[in-house]
Amino acid sequence: MDWEFDDEGAVRALLAYVSDVTRALGLSGECSFVHSDGSRLGAYLALDGHLPGFADRDVALLWDEGRGWSVAVESDSSEPPFVLARLRGPVRPEPAAVARWVDGLRLVHDGRELLTAS
């Protein structure tokens, strides 16, 4: 997991949180990063599988310090991911709650439901 930072303490705390979420999802974290643009923190976490109805699109979890977690599909490298849904509740929910939410998305892998850790 890579990061860019201005406020090292805040980024380290977010990095630890995103690492906990990554583990709760049973992912390696190889396709994820934490970033700061100087005014806001954010995170990107690629998910395995595809959403039903979006078989040709990669899926990612996005985290924003003002809105928390959202699920998005990638269009192409020239456009930002398209947000489809947001996880309601606290901005930093427990990692297990994020994993349960992702499990409820019913990601598909090779025509089968993808099992995620919860």
Side-chain angles (χ1 to χ4, degrees):
M1 187 177 303
D2 296 324
W3 77 58
E4 302 168 12
F5 61 90
D6 291 326
D7 180 350
E8 188 173 331
V11 173
R12 287 188 188 277
L14 179 57
L15 181 64
Y17 173 65
V18 171
S19 293
D20 290 345
V21 170
T22 300
R23 279 192 298 280
L25 291 166
L27 301 173
S28 69
E30 289 179 19
C31 296
S32 61
F33 62 89
V34 168
H35 62 89
S36 170
D37 66 7
S39 63
R40 294 185 77 85
L41 289 172
Y44 173 97
L45 196 102
L47 296 178
D48 294 330
H50 303 282
L51 287 167
F54 295 93
D56 60 338
R57 310 278 179 153
D58 290 333
V59 181
L61 283 182
L62 307 177
W63 184 86
D64 174 274
E65 70 178 315
R67 297 180 181 167
W69 290 104
S70 60
V71 64
V73 292
E74 303 277 352
S75 54
D76 62 39
S77 60
S78 68
E79 296 179 17
F82 181 75
V83 173
L84 296 174
R86 294 197 184 281
L87 177 58
R88 293 184 181 181
V91 172
R92 287 193 190 191
E94 291 297 318
V98 178
R100 284 190 300 274
W101 182 60
V102 170
D103 190 46
L105 297 174
R106 301 190 184 274
L107 294 174
V108 176
H109 183 69
D110 293 333
R112 300 181 313 272
E113 284 191 27
L114 179 69
L115 300 176
T116 58
S118 55

